[in-house]
Amino acid sequence: MEKDISAFRFSALRKELGLTQSEFANELGISTTADIERGKTKISGKMLVSLQVKYRINPLWLFDESDQMYIDQKPISILPKVVVVDKNDSENIVLVNTKAAAGYPQNLANPEFYDSLPVFDLPIPEYRNSSYRGFQIEGDSMLPSLHPGDWVLASALESMDSVNPNRMYVVILDDAVLVKKIMQKPLSNNITLISTNESYPPYDIKAFNIQEIWEVKSKLTFNFEPMNSNNLLMDLQNSMEELKKQISSNQGTLNA
């Protein structure tokens, strides 16, 4: 007996969400999804509503009446929810350190929260005509580009259409402030967050869970290690000596 197309797509959806059958069942308020995935139980109207509300799944897609998996929505606003200005109505740059970042996602639209954060003005043309915010780096996932304790100055992004996979962004989720590269997936509601430190694998999130995005424009670091000409020459000499040793070793192997 062939399985219904809805069973295949229901199973594919669960796997894309990265959920076990038990976890998916809990999300939908049922005991198990196993019988649905085997085609023994039909998807109920209540489950269709849950899938639409929780994950924006297009019911027509589940029943092979549409190729569009997710429901069309109005573009999600990722612009800043609050801006801070001085007495001359010029916008200030708010600094969000690692401690403040813990409460930042929950207070995006709370003006009183911003009153507790330091602000400053940067009288440089490049930092005009846009909203900027400073964020302190926590963790080592963006090494070697960004070190723990570094600060980045980032400009507000207007829409996901402006995302460049080669740039770094401060991504504000419902419960976290992250600095990552972003890779968008065509015809998918998922986006991939990428660290520059290869020890951290990429992972997917739902685009509609993003509250704000800030494009990193510059950084302030306290890990500056100047490289003078003597150091460069020494590094070059060491590299040449190592290369000579490798060549000599290879020649010895060939002669043997």
Side-chain angles (χ1 to χ4, degrees):
M1 179 180 176
E2 292 187 1
K3 283 201 295 186
D4 190 277
I5 185 65
S6 62
F8 280 108
R9 292 198 166 182
F10 185 87
S11 179
L13 169 62
R14 175 183 63 78
K15 292 172 183 176
E16 178 170 329
L17 293 172
L19 300 174
T20 65
Q21 288 185 337
S22 177
E23 290 169 339
F24 200 24
N26 288 335
E27 288 288 319
L28 298 176
I30 58 177
S31 58
T32 180
T33 64
D35 286 343
I36 297 175
E37 295 187 33
R38 286 196 291 262
K40 293 184 177 181
T41 301
K42 297 293 184 181
I43 303 172
S44 69
K46 184 177 180 180
M47 278 189 281
L48 289 175
V49 172
S50 294
L51 290 171
Q52 184 174 339
V53 172
K54 287 178 177 288
Y55 305 110
R56 301 184 183 181
I57 299 302
N58 179 5
L60 295 178
W61 173 82
L62 278 170
F63 296 100
D64 201 26
E65 297 293 331
S66 171
D67 293 328
Q68 186 171 311
M69 185 175 185
Y70 294 96
I71 296 172
D72 272 335
Q73 298 282 336
K74 293 181 179 179
I76 300 169
S77 174
I78 56 173
L79 286 169
K81 309 302 182 285
V82 173
V83 295
V84 178
V85 298
D86 60 21
K87 60 183 180 181
N88 297 317
D89 283 337
S90 296
E91 189 170 343
N92 282 326
I93 299 176
V94 178
L95 294 178
V96 183
N97 61 23
T98 53
K99 183 178 180 180
Y104 185 81
Q106 294 79 25
N107 290 281
L108 286 178
N110 180 9
E112 294 181 0
F113 173 76
Y114 294 86
D115 291 340
S116 66
L117 301 179
V119 299
F120 74 102
D121 175 55
L122 200 57
I124 299 176
E126 287 79 4
Y127 291 90
R128 299 295 184 186
N129 303 318
S130 183
S131 294
Y132 278 84
R133 198 147 291 175
F135 295 90
Q136 190 175 26
I137 302 301
E138 183 176 19
D140 60 357
S141 67
M142 296 306 286
L143 289 175
S145 302
L146 300 172
H147 292 78
D150 285 354
W151 286 83
V152 294
L153 293 182
S155 64
L157 211 63
E158 293 187 4
S159 74
M160 291 294 296
D161 294 336
S162 304
V163 167
N164 182 331
N166 297 316
R167 304 285 299 179
M168 286 188 287
Y169 298 91
V170 181
V171 182
I172 314 300
L173 302 178
D174 295 330
D175 57 357
V177 176
L178 307 172
V179 180
K180 302 291 178 186
K181 289 188 172 183
I182 297 175
M183 179 70 70
Q184 298 194 76
K185 295 184 174 183
L187 303 178
S188 174
N189 208 32
N190 289 348
I191 67 169
T192 302
L193 299 183
I194 302 171
S195 302
T196 53
N197 184 342
E198 294 182 356
S199 299
Y200 294 82
Y203 60 93
D204 288 354
I205 64 169
K206 296 298 178 186
F208 54 75
N209 287 331
I210 296 175
Q211 300 195 71
E212 292 179 353
I213 297 182
W214 301 79
E215 182 178 343
V216 174
K217 295 293 188 180
S218 58
K219 73 173 181 178
L220 174 63
T221 182
F222 298 95
N223 294 280
F224 181 66
E225 297 179 1
M227 181 71 78
N228 58 39
S229 57
N230 290 334
N231 289 338
L232 286 171
L233 181 59
M234 186 176 297
D235 284 347
L236 181 60
Q237 289 174 337
N238 290 337
S239 297
M240 291 299 294
E241 289 299 323
E242 183 65 27
L243 181 59
K244 288 178 182 178
K245 290 179 182 178
Q246 291 179 4
I247 293 174
S248 298
S249 176
N250 291 337
Q251 287 179 340
T253 302
L254 290 174
N255 291 335

